[in-house]
Amino acid sequence: MTKRSICLHLVSGGTGQTLDSQAKACAPHFPDVEFHIRHWNLVRSRPQLRRVIAGIASEPGPVLSSLIDAGLQNELVEGCKRTGVQLLDVMKNTLTFLEGTTGTQAVDGGPGGQYIMDENYFRRIDAMHYVIEHDDGQQTRELRDADVVLVGVSRASKTPTCFYLANKGIKAANVPLVPDTPLPPELFELKKPVIGLTIAPEALLEIRRTRLNSMVPTKQHAGGTSLTRTSYIDPDEVREELMWAKRLCTRHGWPIIDITRRSIEETSAAVLDILEHPNPLSAPG
């Protein structure tokens, strides 16, 4: 079946990440439509807006806007009317809703107001530095400073999950679980959560084989084990490695998240859920 093609314009006075996330979240709900997204970011002057309106006119399609400046938004509304395209003011609708529920008048935060260099901003920066310095079992003496420590076998998405969490202001360290390799004693003295990441053997084998094909033959992975060693991609040994890691986590009471069918965002959400609502041994879903 041929999909309908629609040009979706996203107009923002900031970086456009909010609108882009919304569009990407909604698009899968319309399987018969192929959205071609046009980003119009950092729109903060009338000359810039006129260029946007001209671009919309050249490729007509619905418009999502998060412009804060009322004058620019009104001009965009008029431009869309002339072009005959529909416009949804995402920011205004949300602010109106929140004004109604809070009984408080919204103030002008300015474009990109969510990126103010406040305490939250610096917390995210500190968290990012922490992840870089404590990736793959580095500087284990400082694990006590982590908000959470992720453990798991090689290629279980520990590092990308830690970086995603850092963007939320969470200091996340990760420690690889390698058979016959002692774990740092600091790991067992932590007051902060330790969470295990696991994955289905078949999925892990596919990831590792792909990884091997892209690596120099002598490349080493966590724990100093050569990636060319057959046990790294031997189906039986991989299954045993995963079972060993699960037993280890269970023995120490560490919750386990199965990442097999989860995106990094979903895995991170499960970690955050455990941090907010600690539960025994496994994450739901």
Side-chain angles (χ1 to χ4, degrees):
M1 180 185 296
T2 303
K3 290 187 176 183
R4 251 190 329 140
S5 180
I6 292 180
C7 188
L8 178 61
H9 298 271
L10 309 181
V11 184
S12 172
T15 61
Q17 291 185 33
T18 301
L19 287 179
D20 190 57
S21 296
Q22 288 179 319
K24 287 178 178 177
C26 292
H29 294 278
F30 302 90
D32 298 332
V33 177
E34 183 175 3
F35 291 99
H36 298 279
I37 297 179
R38 299 290 182 264
H39 298 90
W40 306 94
N41 301 329
L42 301 173
V43 180
R44 299 177 181 177
S45 68
R46 281 184 164 73
Q48 289 174 318
L49 185 61
R50 284 194 284 270
R51 183 171 67 87
V52 171
I53 293 173
I56 294 172
S58 66
E59 293 183 280
V63 179
L64 298 181
S65 169
S66 63
L67 292 177
I68 293 292
D69 187 292
L72 293 179
Q73 179 62 25
N74 290 336
E75 192 168 329
L76 178 61
V77 169
E78 293 303 317
C80 288
K81 284 181 180 178
R82 291 194 301 271
T83 306
V85 299
Q86 291 183 306
L87 166 69
L88 174 63
D89 186 341
V90 175
M91 185 63 71
K92 181 179 179 180
N93 285 358
T94 304
L95 290 176
T96 300
F97 170 76
L98 292 176
E99 284 178 340
T101 57
T102 64
T104 304
Q105 185 73 29
V107 298
D108 184 2
Q114 70 271 41
Y115 301 110
I116 266 178
M117 295 176 68
D118 57 5
E119 182 181 346
N120 291 330
Y121 172 84
F122 289 109
R123 185 167 66 245
R124 291 195 298 271
I125 296 301
D126 287 343
M128 194 65 70
H129 287 160
Y130 184 87
V131 168
I132 293 171
E133 294 171 358
H134 299 84
D135 181 41
D136 207 28
Q138 299 182 74
Q139 301 192 46
T140 55
R141 291 182 181 179
E142 298 177 2
L143 288 180
R144 63 183 181 277
D145 298 326
D147 295 314
V148 63
V149 178
L150 303 184
V151 297
V153 301
S154 174
R155 315 318 302 175
S157 296
K158 299 183 297 297
T159 295
T161 301
C162 284
F163 275 105
Y164 190 91
L165 290 169
N167 198 43
K168 301 289 185 181
I170 304 296
K171 289 183 178 179
N174 74 81
V175 176
L177 299 182
V178 182
D180 302 321
T181 300
L183 288 168
E186 293 84 359
L187 189 63
F188 306 103
E189 302 168 359
L190 294 176
K191 304 299 183 184
K192 302 294 178 65
V194 178
I195 299 175
L197 301 186
T198 190
I199 183 172
E202 297 76 15
L204 181 58
L205 281 166
E206 183 178 351
I207 293 171
R208 286 185 173 183
R209 285 166 180 155
T210 301
R211 178 68 169 168
L212 273 177
N213 289 337
S214 66
M215 302 282 285
V216 177
T218 57
K219 185 72 176 179
Q220 303 286 312
H221 83 288
T225 305
S226 172
L227 286 178
T228 57
R229 201 179 73 176
T230 55
S231 62
Y232 188 70
I233 54 172
D234 178 85
D236 291 333
E237 297 214 30
V238 167
R239 289 188 184 90
E240 179 55 37
E241 181 183 357
L242 286 166
M243 287 301 301
W244 165 80
K246 283 184 179 181
R247 288 194 296 267
L248 177 71
C249 290
T250 301
R251 186 163 66 248
H252 293 287
W254 298 336
I256 300 172
I257 298 173
D258 189 335
I259 70 160
T260 307
R261 296 177 182 84
R262 297 181 194 260
S263 64
I264 297 301
E265 294 85 352
E266 290 170 327
T267 300
S268 300
V271 171
L272 292 172
D273 185 63
I274 291 174
L275 293 182
E276 293 181 18
H277 312 286
N279 57 350
L281 298 188
S282 63

